[in-house]
Amino acid sequence: MKKYLFFLLCVLLFTGCEDAQLETGENSMVDVENNQINSDDKSKAAAEPPVLIEELPMEMHLLDPQPDGRIYLEGTYTNNSDQIVDRFSIEMLDPSTNERILASEHGTVLPGEVSITFGGGPVKSSLEELENLKLSYQVIHDNKTTRIEYDYKIGEYSFDTYDEEAYPTPEVEFEELPYSFEQPPNPIPNYWNCSYTNNSKMTIKSFNLTMHNTQTNRESVAASPDTVLAGETSPNILIDGSESLEDLIPLSLKYSYNAEDGKEVLVEYNYKTKKYIVDRF
């Protein structure tokens, strides 16, 4: 009788352990499946860049022939995403010449904005005959920058995301280089003289002010390679503009100087993002 009870107890213990193992196994299987689903979701999310090409529609057209017969194209794109986009470039193939056509606009375009007009060429084919090859652009989001390229032939994206580098504030800030405009002594329609004052302690070696001409939707640039010492005002820089200075909106300011350690410093200030890019050589 004792042997029978002992045998029955062993059977019950064994059955309980097996049920526990089965239950644990089922839970483990569910966890594995859930983890697989979560992993698949993350992989799917990572497979797409933060801004798709459908969110950046382009409008392109051909210009009238030049006096020499050459024809160029120009256009704009609209940023329909909720991210900041810049460094936009479209590469096309002209089947009539088998040559690549590159049209790019490197300016910053905020969500909902239309880019400045950009162009490329010359082209021999009609707009419909041009074949899109690659579209590249950069997206600024969540203190990160994503460089994106879309290949039209294979219909695939390639992109790389990296953290924005924390550059220190440059020794010379853009506010220390105030600029002003005035009409030339002999007024030229839609042209202005631009000059700036160097209120910093450094010697400025170059100055490049890019503005958005809202009247023509094109860039107007005031560029000077002149050296301007501390406290000096630069020579006049002729800039193509419009009848009214209100049509000119600053986009970026680039300038260079030699730091106290002897290194050359190149600075770019973006008026839209209110951020600096600083390179030291």
PDB file of all heavy atoms in Angstrom, residues 107-108 110 113 116 174 179 181 194 207-214 218-222 239 245-254 269-274:
ATOM      1  N   GLY A 107      19.372  75.674 -50.367  1.00  0.00           N
ATOM      2  CA  GLY A 107      18.816  76.481 -49.296  1.00  0.00           C
ATOM      3  C   GLY A 107      17.878  75.713 -48.383  1.00  0.00           C
ATOM      4  O   GLY A 107      17.377  74.636 -48.714  1.00  0.00           O
ATOM      5  N   THR A 108      17.632  76.270 -47.205  1.00  0.00           N
ATOM      6  CA  THR A 108      16.750  75.659 -46.209  1.00  0.00           C
ATOM      7  C   THR A 108      15.298  75.962 -46.543  1.00  0.00           C
ATOM      8  O   THR A 108      14.940  77.112 -46.803  1.00  0.00           O
ATOM      9  CB  THR A 108      17.078  76.199 -44.811  1.00  0.00           C
ATOM     10  OG1 THR A 108      18.450  75.888 -44.500  1.00  0.00           O
ATOM     11  CG2 THR A 108      16.171  75.588 -43.758  1.00  0.00           C
ATOM     12  N   LEU A 110      11.528  75.392 -44.957  1.00  0.00           N
ATOM     13  CA  LEU A 110      10.758  75.002 -43.784  1.00  0.00           C
ATOM     14  C   LEU A 110       9.472  74.283 -44.196  1.00  0.00           C
ATOM     15  O   LEU A 110       9.048  74.367 -45.357  1.00  0.00           O
ATOM     16  CB  LEU A 110      10.417  76.237 -42.946  1.00  0.00           C
ATOM     17  CG  LEU A 110      11.606  77.072 -42.432  1.00  0.00           C
ATOM     18  CD1 LEU A 110      11.097  78.278 -41.647  1.00  0.00           C
ATOM     19  CD2 LEU A 110      12.542  76.231 -41.594  1.00  0.00           C
ATOM     20  N   GLU A 113       6.771  75.501 -46.949  1.00  0.00           N
ATOM     21  CA  GLU A 113       7.348  76.503 -47.837  1.00  0.00           C
ATOM     22  C   GLU A 113       7.624  75.948 -49.232  1.00  0.00           C
ATOM     23  O   GLU A 113       7.765  74.741 -49.423  1.00  0.00           O
ATOM     24  CB  GLU A 113       8.668  77.036 -47.265  1.00  0.00           C
ATOM     25  CG  GLU A 113       8.507  77.994 -46.108  1.00  0.00           C
ATOM     26  CD  GLU A 113       9.836  78.630 -45.713  1.00  0.00           C
ATOM     27  OE1 GLU A 113      10.904  78.096 -46.092  1.00  0.00           O
ATOM     28  OE2 GLU A 113       9.793  79.649 -45.010  1.00  0.00           O
ATOM     29  N   ILE A 116      13.271  78.225 -53.304  1.00  0.00           N
ATOM     30  CA  ILE A 116      13.713  79.217 -54.278  1.00  0.00           C
ATOM     31  C   ILE A 116      13.853  78.528 -55.633  1.00  0.00           C
ATOM     32  O   ILE A 116      14.165  77.336 -55.718  1.00  0.00           O
ATOM     33  CB  ILE A 116      15.048  79.838 -53.833  1.00  0.00           C
ATOM     34  CG1 ILE A 116      14.813  80.736 -52.617  1.00  0.00           C
ATOM     35  CG2 ILE A 116      15.725  80.603 -54.947  1.00  0.00           C
ATOM     36  CD1 ILE A 116      16.056  81.349 -52.048  1.00  0.00           C
ATOM     37  N   PHE A 174      27.462  86.580 -36.035  1.00  0.00           N
ATOM     38  CA  PHE A 174      26.947  87.307 -37.196  1.00  0.00           C
ATOM     39  C   PHE A 174      26.489  88.722 -36.837  1.00  0.00           C
ATOM     40  O   PHE A 174      26.549  89.636 -37.667  1.00  0.00           O
ATOM     41  CB  PHE A 174      25.820  86.520 -37.871  1.00  0.00           C
ATOM     42  CG  PHE A 174      24.496  86.594 -37.157  1.00  0.00           C
ATOM     43  CD1 PHE A 174      23.509  87.477 -37.588  1.00  0.00           C
ATOM     44  CD2 PHE A 174      24.226  85.779 -36.067  1.00  0.00           C
ATOM     45  CE1 PHE A 174      22.291  87.546 -36.946  1.00  0.00           C
ATOM     46  CE2 PHE A 174      22.999  85.844 -35.423  1.00  0.00           C
ATOM     47  CZ  PHE A 174      22.030  86.724 -35.860  1.00  0.00           C
ATOM     48  N   TYR A 179      25.178  94.759 -41.722  1.00  0.00           N
ATOM     49  CA  TYR A 179      25.270  95.224 -43.113  1.00  0.00           C
ATOM     50  C   TYR A 179      24.157  96.222 -43.390  1.00  0.00           C
ATOM     51  O   TYR A 179      23.149  96.301 -42.674  1.00  0.00           O
ATOM     52  CB  TYR A 179      25.192  94.043 -44.087  1.00  0.00           C
ATOM     53  CG  TYR A 179      23.952  93.198 -43.938  1.00  0.00           C
ATOM     54  CD1 TYR A 179      22.759  93.547 -44.581  1.00  0.00           C
ATOM     55  CD2 TYR A 179      23.952  92.039 -43.151  1.00  0.00           C
ATOM     56  CE1 TYR A 179      21.615  92.779 -44.443  1.00  0.00           C
ATOM     57  CE2 TYR A 179      22.811  91.277 -43.004  1.00  0.00           C
ATOM     58  CZ  TYR A 179      21.653  91.638 -43.654  1.00  0.00           C
ATOM     59  OH  TYR A 179      20.512  90.890 -43.508  1.00  0.00           O
ATOM     60  N   PHE A 181      22.283  98.680 -46.911  1.00  0.00           N
ATOM     61  CA  PHE A 181      22.150  98.864 -48.360  1.00  0.00           C
ATOM     62  C   PHE A 181      21.923 100.335 -48.676  1.00  0.00           C
ATOM     63  O   PHE A 181      21.318 101.078 -47.885  1.00  0.00           O
ATOM     64  CB  PHE A 181      20.964  98.054 -48.903  1.00  0.00           C
ATOM     65  CG  PHE A 181      21.112  96.568 -48.770  1.00  0.00           C
ATOM     66  CD1 PHE A 181      20.560  95.910 -47.686  1.00  0.00           C
ATOM     67  CD2 PHE A 181      21.796  95.834 -49.725  1.00  0.00           C
ATOM     68  CE1 PHE A 181      20.683  94.543 -47.552  1.00  0.00           C
ATOM     69  CE2 PHE A 181      21.928  94.467 -49.597  1.00  0.00           C
ATOM     70  CZ  PHE A 181      21.373  93.820 -48.517  1.00  0.00           C
ATOM     71  N   CYS A 194      25.853  97.128 -51.136  1.00  0.00           N
ATOM     72  CA  CYS A 194      25.822  96.537 -49.799  1.00  0.00           C
ATOM     73  C   CYS A 194      27.203  96.706 -49.169  1.00  0.00           C
ATOM     74  O   CYS A 194      28.229  96.527 -49.835  1.00  0.00           O
ATOM     75  CB  CYS A 194      25.454  95.057 -49.879  1.00  0.00           C
ATOM     76  SG  CYS A 194      25.557  94.175 -48.301  1.00  0.00           S
ATOM     77  N   PHE A 207      33.323  87.626 -47.027  1.00  0.00           N
ATOM     78  CA  PHE A 207      31.958  87.910 -46.585  1.00  0.00           C
ATOM     79  C   PHE A 207      31.023  87.531 -47.720  1.00  0.00           C
ATOM     80  O   PHE A 207      31.217  87.940 -48.863  1.00  0.00           O
ATOM     81  CB  PHE A 207      31.839  89.402 -46.256  1.00  0.00           C
ATOM     82  CG  PHE A 207      30.471  89.854 -45.817  1.00  0.00           C
ATOM     83  CD1 PHE A 207      30.137  89.907 -44.483  1.00  0.00           C
ATOM     84  CD2 PHE A 207      29.523  90.253 -46.753  1.00  0.00           C
ATOM     85  CE1 PHE A 207      28.890  90.352 -44.065  1.00  0.00           C
ATOM     86  CE2 PHE A 207      28.270  90.699 -46.352  1.00  0.00           C
ATOM     87  CZ  PHE A 207      27.946  90.754 -45.005  1.00  0.00           C
ATOM     88  N   ASN A 208      30.004  86.720 -47.406  1.00  0.00           N
ATOM     89  CA  ASN A 208      29.069  86.267 -48.440  1.00  0.00           C
ATOM     90  C   ASN A 208      27.663  86.233 -47.854  1.00  0.00           C
ATOM     91  O   ASN A 208      27.352  85.395 -47.011  1.00  0.00           O
ATOM     92  CB  ASN A 208      29.480  84.885 -48.954  1.00  0.00           C
ATOM     93  CG  ASN A 208      28.662  84.433 -50.143  1.00  0.00           C
ATOM     94  OD1 ASN A 208      27.443  84.406 -50.108  1.00  0.00           O
ATOM     95  ND2 ASN A 208      29.338  84.049 -51.215  1.00  0.00           N
ATOM     96  N   LEU A 209      26.821  87.156 -48.289  1.00  0.00           N
ATOM     97  CA  LEU A 209      25.452  87.265 -47.804  1.00  0.00           C
ATOM     98  C   LEU A 209      24.495  86.799 -48.904  1.00  0.00           C
ATOM     99  O   LEU A 209      24.487  87.340 -50.006  1.00  0.00           O
ATOM    100  CB  LEU A 209      25.137  88.711 -47.433  1.00  0.00           C
ATOM    101  CG  LEU A 209      23.690  89.019 -47.028  1.00  0.00           C
ATOM    102  CD1 LEU A 209      23.314  88.290 -45.741  1.00  0.00           C
ATOM    103  CD2 LEU A 209      23.490  90.529 -46.877  1.00  0.00           C
ATOM    104  N   THR A 210      23.710  85.760 -48.602  1.00  0.00           N
ATOM    105  CA  THR A 210      22.725  85.243 -49.549  1.00  0.00           C
ATOM    106  C   THR A 210      21.333  85.629 -49.069  1.00  0.00           C
ATOM    107  O   THR A 210      20.980  85.392 -47.913  1.00  0.00           O
ATOM    108  CB  THR A 210      22.815  83.713 -49.669  1.00  0.00           C
ATOM    109  OG1 THR A 210      24.127  83.357 -50.100  1.00  0.00           O
ATOM    110  CG2 THR A 210      21.797  83.184 -50.669  1.00  0.00           C
ATOM    111  N   MET A 211      20.556  86.217 -49.995  1.00  0.00           N
ATOM    112  CA  MET A 211      19.223  86.690 -49.649  1.00  0.00           C
ATOM    113  C   MET A 211      18.198  86.104 -50.615  1.00  0.00           C
ATOM    114  O   MET A 211      18.514  85.764 -51.760  1.00  0.00           O
ATOM    115  CB  MET A 211      19.172  88.220 -49.685  1.00  0.00           C
ATOM    116  CG  MET A 211      20.269  88.882 -48.869  1.00  0.00           C
ATOM    117  SD  MET A 211      19.963  90.627 -48.565  1.00  0.00           S
ATOM    118  CE  MET A 211      18.771  90.548 -47.250  1.00  0.00           C
ATOM    119  N   HIS A 212      16.973  85.996 -50.124  1.00  0.00           N
ATOM    120  CA  HIS A 212      15.856  85.525 -50.942  1.00  0.00           C
ATOM    121  C   HIS A 212      15.149  86.740 -51.522  1.00  0.00           C
ATOM    122  O   HIS A 212      14.596  87.556 -50.793  1.00  0.00           O
ATOM    123  CB  HIS A 212      14.897  84.692 -50.096  1.00  0.00           C
ATOM    124  CG  HIS A 212      13.706  84.194 -50.854  1.00  0.00           C
ATOM    125  ND1 HIS A 212      12.587  83.689 -50.236  1.00  0.00           N
ATOM    126  CD2 HIS A 212      13.455  84.106 -52.193  1.00  0.00           C
ATOM    127  CE1 HIS A 212      11.696  83.321 -51.141  1.00  0.00           C
ATOM    128  NE2 HIS A 212      12.204  83.573 -52.331  1.00  0.00           N
ATOM    129  N   ASN A 213      15.202  86.840 -52.854  1.00  0.00           N
ATOM    130  CA  ASN A 213      14.479  87.905 -53.540  1.00  0.00           C
ATOM    131  C   ASN A 213      13.051  87.421 -53.768  1.00  0.00           C
ATOM    132  O   ASN A 213      12.792  86.620 -54.661  1.00  0.00           O
ATOM    133  CB  ASN A 213      15.167  88.230 -54.871  1.00  0.00           C
ATOM    134  CG  ASN A 213      14.564  89.431 -55.561  1.00  0.00           C
ATOM    135  OD1 ASN A 213      13.396  89.759 -55.351  1.00  0.00           O
ATOM    136  ND2 ASN A 213      15.350  90.094 -56.394  1.00  0.00           N
ATOM    137  N   THR A 214      12.139  87.859 -52.910  1.00  0.00           N
ATOM    138  CA  THR A 214      10.764  87.357 -52.987  1.00  0.00           C
ATOM    139  C   THR A 214      10.035  87.847 -54.237  1.00  0.00           C
ATOM    140  O   THR A 214       9.021  87.267 -54.625  1.00  0.00           O
ATOM    141  CB  THR A 214       9.975  87.783 -51.739  1.00  0.00           C
ATOM    142  OG1 THR A 214       9.981  89.214 -51.626  1.00  0.00           O
ATOM    143  CG2 THR A 214      10.586  87.178 -50.491  1.00  0.00           C
ATOM    144  N   ARG A 218      14.244  84.173 -56.434  1.00  0.00           N
ATOM    145  CA  ARG A 218      15.617  83.738 -56.714  1.00  0.00           C
ATOM    146  C   ARG A 218      16.539  84.251 -55.611  1.00  0.00           C
ATOM    147  O   ARG A 218      16.142  85.067 -54.779  1.00  0.00           O
ATOM    148  CB  ARG A 218      16.086  84.249 -58.082  1.00  0.00           C
ATOM    149  CG  ARG A 218      15.276  83.703 -59.237  1.00  0.00           C
ATOM    150  CD  ARG A 218      15.775  84.244 -60.576  1.00  0.00           C
ATOM    151  NE  ARG A 218      14.941  83.794 -61.671  1.00  0.00           N
ATOM    152  CZ  ARG A 218      15.061  82.627 -62.278  1.00  0.00           C
ATOM    153  NH1 ARG A 218      16.013  81.795 -61.896  1.00  0.00           N
ATOM    154  NH2 ARG A 218      14.254  82.287 -63.262  1.00  0.00           N
ATOM    155  N   GLU A 219      17.763  83.750 -55.639  1.00  0.00           N
ATOM    156  CA  GLU A 219      18.758  84.205 -54.677  1.00  0.00           C
ATOM    157  C   GLU A 219      19.449  85.468 -55.179  1.00  0.00           C
ATOM    158  O   GLU A 219      19.720  85.615 -56.371  1.00  0.00           O
ATOM    159  CB  GLU A 219      19.807  83.118 -54.433  1.00  0.00           C
ATOM    160  CG  GLU A 219      19.301  81.922 -53.656  1.00  0.00           C
ATOM    161  CD  GLU A 219      20.401  80.921 -53.359  1.00  0.00           C
ATOM    162  OE1 GLU A 219      21.523  81.094 -53.907  1.00  0.00           O
ATOM    163  OE2 GLU A 219      20.160  79.983 -52.586  1.00  0.00           O
ATOM    164  N   SER A 220      19.737  86.368 -54.251  1.00  0.00           N
ATOM    165  CA  SER A 220      20.578  87.531 -54.512  1.00  0.00           C
ATOM    166  C   SER A 220      21.765  87.431 -53.565  1.00  0.00           C
ATOM    167  O   SER A 220      21.587  87.209 -52.364  1.00  0.00           O
ATOM    168  CB  SER A 220      19.822  88.834 -54.281  1.00  0.00           C
ATOM    169  OG  SER A 220      18.768  88.994 -55.215  1.00  0.00           O
ATOM    170  N   VAL A 221      22.956  87.593 -54.123  1.00  0.00           N
ATOM    171  CA  VAL A 221      24.173  87.344 -53.333  1.00  0.00           C
ATOM    172  C   VAL A 221      25.071  88.576 -53.331  1.00  0.00           C
ATOM    173  O   VAL A 221      25.331  89.171 -54.385  1.00  0.00           O
ATOM    174  CB  VAL A 221      24.958  86.141 -53.890  1.00  0.00           C
ATOM    175  CG1 VAL A 221      26.228  85.915 -53.074  1.00  0.00           C
ATOM    176  CG2 VAL A 221      24.088  84.895 -53.889  1.00  0.00           C
ATOM    177  N   ALA A 222      25.517  88.947 -52.136  1.00  0.00           N
ATOM    178  CA  ALA A 222      26.530  89.988 -51.979  1.00  0.00           C
ATOM    179  C   ALA A 222      27.790  89.314 -51.460  1.00  0.00           C
ATOM    180  O   ALA A 222      27.833  88.870 -50.309  1.00  0.00           O
ATOM    181  CB  ALA A 222      26.054  91.065 -51.010  1.00  0.00           C
ATOM    182  N   ILE A 239      24.867  94.256 -55.425  1.00  0.00           N
ATOM    183  CA  ILE A 239      23.992  93.089 -55.339  1.00  0.00           C
ATOM    184  C   ILE A 239      22.766  93.320 -56.205  1.00  0.00           C
ATOM    185  O   ILE A 239      22.193  94.413 -56.214  1.00  0.00           O
ATOM    186  CB  ILE A 239      23.580  92.818 -53.868  1.00  0.00           C
ATOM    187  CG1 ILE A 239      22.629  91.616 -53.786  1.00  0.00           C
ATOM    188  CG2 ILE A 239      22.959  94.048 -53.223  1.00  0.00           C
ATOM    189  CD1 ILE A 239      22.296  91.199 -52.358  1.00  0.00           C
ATOM    190  N   LEU A 245      13.810  97.133 -50.970  1.00  0.00           N
ATOM    191  CA  LEU A 245      14.621  96.303 -50.093  1.00  0.00           C
ATOM    192  C   LEU A 245      13.765  95.358 -49.266  1.00  0.00           C
ATOM    193  O   LEU A 245      14.266  94.361 -48.728  1.00  0.00           O
ATOM    194  CB  LEU A 245      15.460  97.185 -49.159  1.00  0.00           C
ATOM    195  CG  LEU A 245      16.601  97.965 -49.811  1.00  0.00           C
ATOM    196  CD1 LEU A 245      17.270  98.865 -48.791  1.00  0.00           C
ATOM    197  CD2 LEU A 245      17.620  97.012 -50.434  1.00  0.00           C
ATOM    198  N   GLU A 246      12.478  95.644 -49.146  1.00  0.00           N
ATOM    199  CA  GLU A 246      11.587  94.763 -48.404  1.00  0.00           C
ATOM    200  C   GLU A 246      11.444  93.401 -49.071  1.00  0.00           C
ATOM    201  O   GLU A 246      10.989  92.448 -48.436  1.00  0.00           O
ATOM    202  CB  GLU A 246      10.206  95.422 -48.252  1.00  0.00           C
ATOM    203  CG  GLU A 246      10.235  96.691 -47.397  1.00  0.00           C
ATOM    204  CD  GLU A 246       8.864  97.323 -47.291  1.00  0.00           C
ATOM    205  OE1 GLU A 246       7.926  96.818 -47.961  1.00  0.00           O
ATOM    206  OE2 GLU A 246       8.719  98.306 -46.545  1.00  0.00           O
ATOM    207  N   ASP A 247      11.811  93.330 -50.358  1.00  0.00           N
ATOM    208  CA  ASP A 247      11.722  92.061 -51.082  1.00  0.00           C
ATOM    209  C   ASP A 247      12.906  91.154 -50.798  1.00  0.00           C
ATOM    210  O   ASP A 247      12.910  89.991 -51.211  1.00  0.00           O
ATOM    211  CB  ASP A 247      11.641  92.310 -52.598  1.00  0.00           C
ATOM    212  CG  ASP A 247      10.376  93.048 -52.986  1.00  0.00           C
ATOM    213  OD1 ASP A 247       9.354  92.845 -52.315  1.00  0.00           O
ATOM    214  OD2 ASP A 247      10.416  93.830 -53.955  1.00  0.00           O
ATOM    215  N   LEU A 248      13.929  91.673 -50.100  1.00  0.00           N
ATOM    216  CA  LEU A 248      15.146  90.889 -49.843  1.00  0.00           C
ATOM    217  C   LEU A 248      15.123  90.379 -48.406  1.00  0.00           C
ATOM    218  O   LEU A 248      15.126  91.160 -47.450  1.00  0.00           O
ATOM    219  CB  LEU A 248      16.391  91.738 -50.079  1.00  0.00           C
ATOM    220  CG  LEU A 248      16.588  92.243 -51.512  1.00  0.00           C
ATOM    221  CD1 LEU A 248      17.844  93.096 -51.597  1.00  0.00           C
ATOM    222  CD2 LEU A 248      16.673  91.081 -52.493  1.00  0.00           C
ATOM    223  N   ILE A 249      15.122  89.045 -48.240  1.00  0.00           N
ATOM    224  CA  ILE A 249      15.092  88.414 -46.933  1.00  0.00           C
ATOM    225  C   ILE A 249      16.378  87.602 -46.753  1.00  0.00           C
ATOM    226  O   ILE A 249      16.697  86.752 -47.599  1.00  0.00           O
ATOM    227  CB  ILE A 249      13.868  87.486 -46.804  1.00  0.00           C
ATOM    228  CG1 ILE A 249      12.582  88.298 -46.987  1.00  0.00           C
ATOM    229  CG2 ILE A 249      13.870  86.770 -45.456  1.00  0.00           C
ATOM    230  CD1 ILE A 249      11.335  87.451 -47.006  1.00  0.00           C
ATOM    231  N   PRO A 250      17.140  87.833 -45.678  1.00  0.00           N
ATOM    232  CA  PRO A 250      18.409  87.102 -45.505  1.00  0.00           C
ATOM    233  C   PRO A 250      18.193  85.607 -45.285  1.00  0.00           C
ATOM    234  O   PRO A 250      17.309  85.191 -44.537  1.00  0.00           O
ATOM    235  CB  PRO A 250      19.026  87.759 -44.268  1.00  0.00           C
ATOM    236  CG  PRO A 250      17.873  88.349 -43.523  1.00  0.00           C
ATOM    237  CD  PRO A 250      16.881  88.762 -44.569  1.00  0.00           C
ATOM    238  N   LEU A 251      19.001  84.819 -45.963  1.00  0.00           N
ATOM    239  CA  LEU A 251      18.961  83.364 -45.822  1.00  0.00           C
ATOM    240  C   LEU A 251      20.165  82.849 -45.043  1.00  0.00           C
ATOM    241  O   LEU A 251      20.019  82.094 -44.087  1.00  0.00           O
ATOM    242  CB  LEU A 251      18.920  82.702 -47.204  1.00  0.00           C
ATOM    243  CG  LEU A 251      17.685  82.946 -48.059  1.00  0.00           C
ATOM    244  CD1 LEU A 251      17.844  82.287 -49.426  1.00  0.00           C
ATOM    245  CD2 LEU A 251      16.440  82.429 -47.361  1.00  0.00           C
ATOM    246  N   SER A 252      21.355  83.249 -45.488  1.00  0.00           N
ATOM    247  CA  SER A 252      22.567  82.771 -44.815  1.00  0.00           C
ATOM    248  C   SER A 252      23.672  83.810 -44.932  1.00  0.00           C
ATOM    249  O   SER A 252      23.679  84.628 -45.860  1.00  0.00           O
ATOM    250  CB  SER A 252      23.038  81.444 -45.412  1.00  0.00           C
ATOM    251  OG  SER A 252      23.467  81.624 -46.749  1.00  0.00           O
ATOM    252  N   LEU A 253      24.588  83.759 -43.984  1.00  0.00           N
ATOM    253  CA  LEU A 253      25.758  84.621 -44.000  1.00  0.00           C
ATOM    254  C   LEU A 253      26.985  83.753 -43.778  1.00  0.00           C
ATOM    255  O   LEU A 253      27.078  83.025 -42.790  1.00  0.00           O
ATOM    256  CB  LEU A 253      25.668  85.680 -42.893  1.00  0.00           C
ATOM    257  CG  LEU A 253      26.873  86.618 -42.770  1.00  0.00           C
ATOM    258  CD1 LEU A 253      27.077  87.419 -44.053  1.00  0.00           C
ATOM    259  CD2 LEU A 253      26.712  87.559 -41.576  1.00  0.00           C
ATOM    260  N   LYS A 254      27.926  83.830 -44.722  1.00  0.00           N
ATOM    261  CA  LYS A 254      29.177  83.097 -44.617  1.00  0.00           C
ATOM    262  C   LYS A 254      30.322  84.100 -44.513  1.00  0.00           C
ATOM    263  O   LYS A 254      30.347  85.089 -45.253  1.00  0.00           O
ATOM    264  CB  LYS A 254      29.395  82.194 -45.836  1.00  0.00           C
ATOM    265  CG  LYS A 254      28.295  81.166 -46.050  1.00  0.00           C
ATOM    266  CD  LYS A 254      28.537  80.385 -47.340  1.00  0.00           C
ATOM    267  CE  LYS A 254      27.404  79.419 -47.619  1.00  0.00           C
ATOM    268  NZ  LYS A 254      27.601  78.686 -48.900  1.00  0.00           N
ATOM    269  N   TYR A 269      26.124  81.108 -40.983  1.00  0.00           N
ATOM    270  CA  TYR A 269      24.959  81.275 -40.099  1.00  0.00           C
ATOM    271  C   TYR A 269      23.695  81.167 -40.932  1.00  0.00           C
ATOM    272  O   TYR A 269      23.545  81.840 -41.954  1.00  0.00           O
ATOM    273  CB  TYR A 269      24.997  82.631 -39.396  1.00  0.00           C
ATOM    274  CG  TYR A 269      23.802  82.836 -38.484  1.00  0.00           C
ATOM    275  CD1 TYR A 269      23.724  82.197 -37.258  1.00  0.00           C
ATOM    276  CD2 TYR A 269      22.739  83.656 -38.865  1.00  0.00           C
ATOM    277  CE1 TYR A 269      22.627  82.362 -36.422  1.00  0.00           C
ATOM    278  CE2 TYR A 269      21.636  83.829 -38.034  1.00  0.00           C
ATOM    279  CZ  TYR A 269      21.588  83.180 -36.822  1.00  0.00           C
ATOM    280  OH  TYR A 269      20.493  83.336 -36.004  1.00  0.00           O
ATOM    281  N   ASN A 270      22.775  80.296 -40.493  1.00  0.00           N
ATOM    282  CA  ASN A 270      21.507  80.085 -41.188  1.00  0.00           C
ATOM    283  C   ASN A 270      20.425  80.889 -40.471  1.00  0.00           C
ATOM    284  O   ASN A 270      20.097  80.624 -39.316  1.00  0.00           O
ATOM    285  CB  ASN A 270      21.165  78.594 -41.193  1.00  0.00           C
ATOM    286  CG  ASN A 270      19.980  78.266 -42.077  1.00  0.00           C
ATOM    287  OD1 ASN A 270      18.969  78.962 -42.081  1.00  0.00           O
ATOM    288  ND2 ASN A 270      20.088  77.187 -42.838  1.00  0.00           N
ATOM    289  N   TYR A 271      19.864  81.878 -41.167  1.00  0.00           N
ATOM    290  CA  TYR A 271      18.868  82.747 -40.534  1.00  0.00           C
ATOM    291  C   TYR A 271      17.560  82.007 -40.250  1.00  0.00           C
ATOM    292  O   TYR A 271      16.799  82.411 -39.365  1.00  0.00           O
ATOM    293  CB  TYR A 271      18.583  83.963 -41.432  1.00  0.00           C
ATOM    294  CG  TYR A 271      19.679  84.990 -41.432  1.00  0.00           C
ATOM    295  CD1 TYR A 271      20.684  84.957 -42.404  1.00  0.00           C
ATOM    296  CD2 TYR A 271      19.726  85.995 -40.479  1.00  0.00           C
ATOM    297  CE1 TYR A 271      21.701  85.895 -42.410  1.00  0.00           C
ATOM    298  CE2 TYR A 271      20.750  86.944 -40.479  1.00  0.00           C
ATOM    299  CZ  TYR A 271      21.728  86.894 -41.449  1.00  0.00           C
ATOM    300  OH  TYR A 271      22.744  87.828 -41.450  1.00  0.00           O
ATOM    301  N   LYS A 272      17.274  80.927 -40.980  1.00  0.00           N
ATOM    302  CA  LYS A 272      16.028  80.192 -40.764  1.00  0.00           C
ATOM    303  C   LYS A 272      16.116  79.270 -39.557  1.00  0.00           C
ATOM    304  O   LYS A 272      15.205  79.219 -38.731  1.00  0.00           O
ATOM    305  CB  LYS A 272      15.660  79.386 -42.020  1.00  0.00           C
ATOM    306  CG  LYS A 272      15.123  80.238 -43.158  1.00  0.00           C
ATOM    307  CD  LYS A 272      14.539  79.365 -44.244  1.00  0.00           C
ATOM    308  CE  LYS A 272      13.876  80.209 -45.321  1.00  0.00           C
ATOM    309  NZ  LYS A 272      13.222  79.374 -46.360  1.00  0.00           N
ATOM    310  N   THR A 273      17.204  78.527 -39.466  1.00  0.00           N
ATOM    311  CA  THR A 273      17.356  77.594 -38.347  1.00  0.00           C
ATOM    312  C   THR A 273      18.034  78.242 -37.151  1.00  0.00           C
ATOM    313  O   THR A 273      18.053  77.661 -36.061  1.00  0.00           O
ATOM    314  CB  THR A 273      18.178  76.375 -38.769  1.00  0.00           C
ATOM    315  OG1 THR A 273      19.503  76.805 -39.169  1.00  0.00           O
ATOM    316  CG2 THR A 273      17.523  75.655 -39.942  1.00  0.00           C
ATOM    317  N   LYS A 274      18.619  79.449 -37.374  1.00  0.00           N
ATOM    318  CA  LYS A 274      19.333  80.180 -36.314  1.00  0.00           C
ATOM    319  C   LYS A 274      20.471  79.341 -35.733  1.00  0.00           C
ATOM    320  O   LYS A 274      20.702  79.317 -34.519  1.00  0.00           O
ATOM    321  CB  LYS A 274      18.360  80.609 -35.207  1.00  0.00           C
ATOM    322  CG  LYS A 274      17.301  81.595 -35.671  1.00  0.00           C
ATOM    323  CD  LYS A 274      16.353  81.971 -34.555  1.00  0.00           C
ATOM    324  CE  LYS A 274      15.400  83.077 -34.974  1.00  0.00           C
ATOM    325  NZ  LYS A 274      14.631  82.762 -36.201  1.00  0.00           N
TER     326      LYS A 274
END
